Amino acid sequence: MTERELYNYKMIPAERAVWADFCRIIRDKCTLMDTPPMDKILMERHLLIEEPYHFARGYSKEEGYYDILEGDRGELFVKIRSHSLDDVVSQKLCMIAHDMSFQYVIHNRKDIDAVHRTRWHFYEEDGPVENGRIVTTIVENDKWEYDTMYDYRKYWFELSLTFLAKVLTPERLAQEIERYEDLMNRHFEGKFWSYDMQKLEFTVVDKISY
């Protein structure tokens, strides 16, 4: 099938049964991740079969498991297309953990900022609203631990990896750690951040400037 044909595909009853079994596995794994209650709705959204003009998911005997997104201009993005149940379960768990941790950090941004931002050399402080925009000021902290600008992604990625450490194989988890390390170090010349499996957090390995 072409990507468009698979996107428009309608599962037969036997294939729907396979997809239902897959969903049960994901729900059980998400229970093991011990995520906040608010994330259950988000998890279920990841298991919906379709939403017109947005995504299509399911199982085809011919093509295997699939998860395809449709962009706002009709372009298709294949997130999952595989016959391997283990591979698809791992991919879906990574996607769910990524979104769950993001939502948690965003919903609790003020509390997380208050606890952690004094560890950073620079951070933004909200000021008054002018012309409908919040005026922010860059604050320099003289008792910093991280010689860089405050980055909420650190807490987002750490939480995602904490979830995944409970459900992925060591080999698959190592791949996710490498992926998140690459994302954290994207704006640095060298390797500034490294994920510490003992502390379950990103720590500084090379004190270079932004």
Side-chain angles (χ1 to χ4, degrees):
M1 292 186 200
T2 65
E3 292 178 359
R4 179 59 64 180
E5 288 172 337
L6 189 56
Y7 182 81
N8 293 325
Y9 182 72
K10 303 299 180 184
M11 291 182 285
I12 63 175
E15 293 169 333
R16 283 182 173 272
V18 173
W19 179 254
D21 288 339
F22 168 75
C23 291
R24 280 192 286 272
I25 293 172
I26 294 299
R27 292 187 183 102
D28 290 343
K29 294 286 188 180
C30 285
T31 298
L32 295 176
M33 287 200 294
D34 193 26
T35 60
M38 60 173 278
D39 292 326
K40 303 308 182 211
I41 296 176
L42 191 152
M43 177 200 69
E44 290 297 334
R45 179 170 172 75
H46 270 274
L47 301 178
L48 290 177
I49 292 174
E50 63 181 355
E51 184 175 286
Y53 309 109
H54 192 191
F55 61 77
R57 306 183 180 112
Y59 173 81
S60 158
K61 184 178 180 180
E62 178 185 343
E63 299 291 339
Y65 299 92
Y66 60 92
D67 188 334
I68 304 175
L69 304 182
E70 183 173 20
D72 57 2
R73 297 189 179 183
E75 185 177 1
L76 298 181
F77 302 90
V78 178
K79 307 294 288 186
I80 293 174
R81 189 173 186 175
S82 173
H83 282 279
S84 171
L85 176 60
D86 290 342
D87 183 51
V88 173
V89 167
S90 294
Q91 288 186 67
K92 179 57 74 173
L93 290 172
C94 290
M95 293 163 66
I96 291 173
H98 188 77
D99 287 355
M100 283 182 170
S101 54
F102 174 74
Q103 289 297 325
Y104 182 84
V105 168
I106 293 301
H107 280 289
N108 296 278
R109 183 179 68 85
K110 290 185 178 180
D111 291 339
I112 292 173
D113 284 2
V115 172
H116 294 285
R117 66 180 181 174
T118 55
R119 302 173 72 184
W120 300 74
H121 194 168
F122 302 95
Y123 60 88
E124 280 188 323
E125 193 168 80
D126 291 344
V129 176
E130 295 182 5
N131 299 320
R133 294 174 178 265
I134 298 176
V135 178
T136 59
T137 303
I138 302 298
V139 178
E140 183 173 5
N141 175 30
D142 60 0
K143 296 181 180 179
W144 51 266
E145 179 180 344
Y146 309 133
D147 189 11
T148 184
M149 183 76 182
Y150 176 89
D151 188 345
Y152 75 96
R153 297 178 311 152
K154 179 180 189 296
Y155 310 105
W156 170 13
F157 297 165
E158 287 172 350
L159 184 57
S160 182
L161 289 171
T162 297
F163 290 155
L164 293 173
K166 302 172 184 177
V167 293
L168 294 184
T169 65
E171 295 77 16
R172 188 67 178 85
L173 180 62
Q175 294 176 15
E176 284 302 292
I177 290 173
E178 181 178 0
R179 182 172 76 89
Y180 280 124
E181 283 184 339
D182 287 344
L183 290 172
M184 284 297 295
N185 287 301
R186 178 169 294 178
H187 301 294
F188 295 93
E189 293 181 357
K191 188 172 183 179
F192 186 87
W193 296 106
S194 178
Y195 186 74
D196 189 320
M197 279 293 296
Q198 301 302 315
K199 296 180 179 180
L200 300 178
E201 65 175 308
F202 285 96
T203 57
V204 174
V205 293
D206 184 13
K207 292 193 174 182
I208 57 179
S209 297
Y210 235 131

